[in-house]
Amino acid sequence: MQIDPSDAELMLRYRAGCMASFEALYARHKLPLYRYLLRQVHSASAASDLFQEVWSRVVASRDRYEIRAQFRTYLFHIAHNCAIDHHRRGRRTPVDTGALESLTNAPGPEHERPDRLAEYAEHRSAFFRALAALPLEQREAFLLHEEAGLDLTDIARITRVGVETAKSRLRYAIRKLQRSLVDLHAAEPALPQPARLPQPEPAL
Amino acid sequence: MEPSQEITADIRGARDVSRAYRGFGGPEVPPELDRVVLRHARHALARPPLARPPLARPARERPRRFMILGIAMAGALGTAIAVLDRDTHHIGPALRLLPVISSGANGGRLQSQQLYSTDPLTRKDPRRWRAEIAALRGAGRHAEADAAYREFLAAYPRDAAHRPVDASSEW
């Protein structure tokens, strides 16, 4: 496994007492981690709690940290466990409209004409709704792939399944999201680079 | 769809979906969350890490620790047995006498009082012991009386100077 020396080095420096190293490490990973958690639990408040918990565990375990894998894998392994605990505690919150608004109502690209901004926002909203509608395992595989940038081996390790299962989950997630893009473009071709690959979805 | 076409479609679909996902962007981390996390990390550096409770340690370490604990306990137990055995030998005669005197009239009572006693304070009174030996000898049970007297002498060597309790004895 390829080890990311810079992340590991930052973690080791933080363990030695260098706060600036932690700040650099945090800045590097905070955004993918926050988005991963937010899209897993669909609640801004729950995502904030889990976000703090993940970093708190990283801080608490700094003396036991060993360079055995990429720091990113380590971080998202903790995040996965926190999210699973959250779901097991039955704290499935209904979809937080505030969180979804923050996901879907961001301004579009500046080069877009004003008359297409609403259209863009609609497509964006539809895409994230499709993402939110994915089964938990498929959504997680997709988010670990896209946000954390992990490969199938690491996704399988974090989610404690075989590589083939992880691959299958990721593939189904991509097909469903791809279909949502196709549906959007079939209705109104507004997005750049439309995907036009209607495929029958195999039974899970 | 042919497998090769399917793979090609999957790759292209993954690229499209990935591009759309990244292009749509997402929320930023709230600044107050940044402050909370960084403050916590800073404070953690200021205080020493807490020692982990034993069960919080990785499972791989536990057998080794339990093995060391087991060896230590076995050593302590062995030492205790050795000390106990030495003490038992010291007062052994009192214990070894029990089968002899238990056959007597008061045997059951004596056994209940002194069985397995390792306390020197619970040894038999020498006068009473000699009286029992004399009683055995008086009943004509000389072999038992001789054995009991040997035990008596082992327990009370100083009393070896005393005259035999029974004048008719060969001692």
Side-chain angles (χ1 to χ4, degrees):
Chain A
M1 174 171 293
Q2 188 177 0
I3 295 170
D4 186 345
S6 46
D7 281 349
E9 191 176 347
L10 288 173
M11 187 64 184
L12 295 177
R13 283 184 195 167
Y14 171 63
R15 185 169 76 179
C18 176
M19 184 59 200
S21 297
F22 182 84
E23 288 172 356
L25 196 63
Y26 176 76
R28 195 175 292 176
H29 296 287
K30 67 175 183 176
L31 193 55
L33 178 66
Y34 182 70
R35 289 178 178 175
Y36 164 82
L37 292 170
L38 186 60
R39 285 166 181 157
Q40 278 289 76
V41 299
H42 302 306
S43 160
S45 62
S48 295
D49 289 346
L50 294 178
F51 184 81
Q52 290 181 56
E53 189 177 344
V54 171
W55 285 109
S56 175
R57 289 191 191 185
V58 170
V59 167
S61 63
R62 65 190 183 279
D63 290 317
R64 304 191 298 276
Y65 176 71
E66 296 174 8
I67 307 174
R68 286 189 296 193
Q70 294 185 73
F71 176 80
R72 206 175 351 167
T73 308
Y74 172 71
L75 180 70
F76 278 87
H77 200 160
I78 297 173
H80 163 80
N81 290 339
C82 289
I84 292 295
D85 288 346
H86 171 82
H87 289 298
R88 283 182 183 160
R89 284 194 298 261
R91 284 161 54 179
R92 286 173 197 256
T93 48
V95 174
D96 184 341
T97 52
L100 279 184
E101 285 299 308
S102 69
L103 285 170
T104 57
N105 284 356
E110 290 181 1
H111 66 271
E112 292 283 355
R113 296 198 312 266
D115 59 332
R116 304 194 74 177
L117 283 178
E119 186 182 305
Y120 175 85
E122 185 184 343
H123 288 165
R124 191 171 185 273
S125 176
F127 179 83
F128 282 116
R129 275 201 304 274
L131 176 62
L134 288 176
L136 181 65
E137 294 81 9
Q138 293 177 19
R139 188 168 66 245
E140 173 157 59
F142 178 77
L143 290 174
L144 287 173
H145 181 67
E146 286 297 327
E147 288 292 357
L150 298 178
D151 60 17
L152 286 172
T153 307
D154 284 338
I155 293 172
R157 183 180 300 166
I158 287 176
T159 55
R160 296 188 181 92
V161 295
V163 175
E164 284 303 316
T165 304
K167 183 178 179 182
S168 169
R169 289 175 177 177
L170 182 59
R171 178 181 264 181
Y172 289 158
I174 287 172
R175 285 183 182 179
K176 287 176 183 173
L177 293 173
Q178 185 187 8
R179 184 185 297 165
S180 78
L181 289 176
V182 170
D183 291 345
L184 286 173
H185 289 292
E188 190 170 1
L191 279 177
Q193 304 291 331
R196 301 179 188 281
L197 294 167
Q199 296 170 23
E201 182 188 340
L204 285 172
Chain B
M1 186 181 293
E2 293 291 323
S4 60
Q5 289 178 317
E6 192 176 353
I7 292 170
T8 306
D10 281 346
I11 292 171
R12 193 166 44 188
R15 200 168 50 229
D16 291 341
V17 170
S18 181
R19 188 185 300 123
Y21 180 78
R22 293 177 186 282
F24 284 141
E28 297 293 319
V29 179
E32 63 271 17
L33 209 49
D34 287 342
R35 282 193 293 273
V36 169
V37 171
L38 293 175
R39 188 174 59 228
H40 175 71
R42 193 173 293 110
H43 286 172
L45 279 184
R47 61 179 184 272
L50 295 174
R52 282 180 295 164
L55 290 179
R57 294 189 177 103
R60 276 179 304 169
E61 292 181 19
R62 284 183 216 146
R64 210 172 5 182
R65 295 178 184 280
F66 285 142
M67 189 176 70
I68 293 169
L69 183 64
I71 290 171
M73 289 178 67
L77 186 62
T79 306
I81 288 173
V83 170
L84 186 63
D85 190 48
R86 189 190 61 197
D87 291 346
T88 303
H89 276 298
H90 180 63
I91 62 164
L95 292 172
R96 286 197 293 274
L97 183 61
L98 288 172
V100 177
I101 61 175
S102 64
S103 59
N106 295 328
R109 187 174 57 82
L110 290 171
Q111 189 170 15
S112 66
Q113 289 175 348
Q114 300 184 354
L115 189 61
Y116 302 129
S117 173
T118 56
D119 187 354
L121 295 176
T122 63
R123 289 183 196 176
K124 287 176 66 172
D125 176 48
R127 287 185 182 181
R128 187 174 162 192
W129 201 346
R130 281 203 301 272
E132 289 176 358
I133 294 171
L136 286 172
R137 211 172 287 288
R141 296 158 62 185
H142 293 293
E144 291 177 29
D146 291 347
Y149 190 64
R150 278 194 294 275
E151 300 287 353
F152 172 79
L153 289 180
Y156 297 100
R158 291 179 190 172
D159 290 353
H162 291 190
R163 293 186 62 79
V165 291
D166 185 359
S168 66
S169 168
E170 59 267 30
W171 306 317

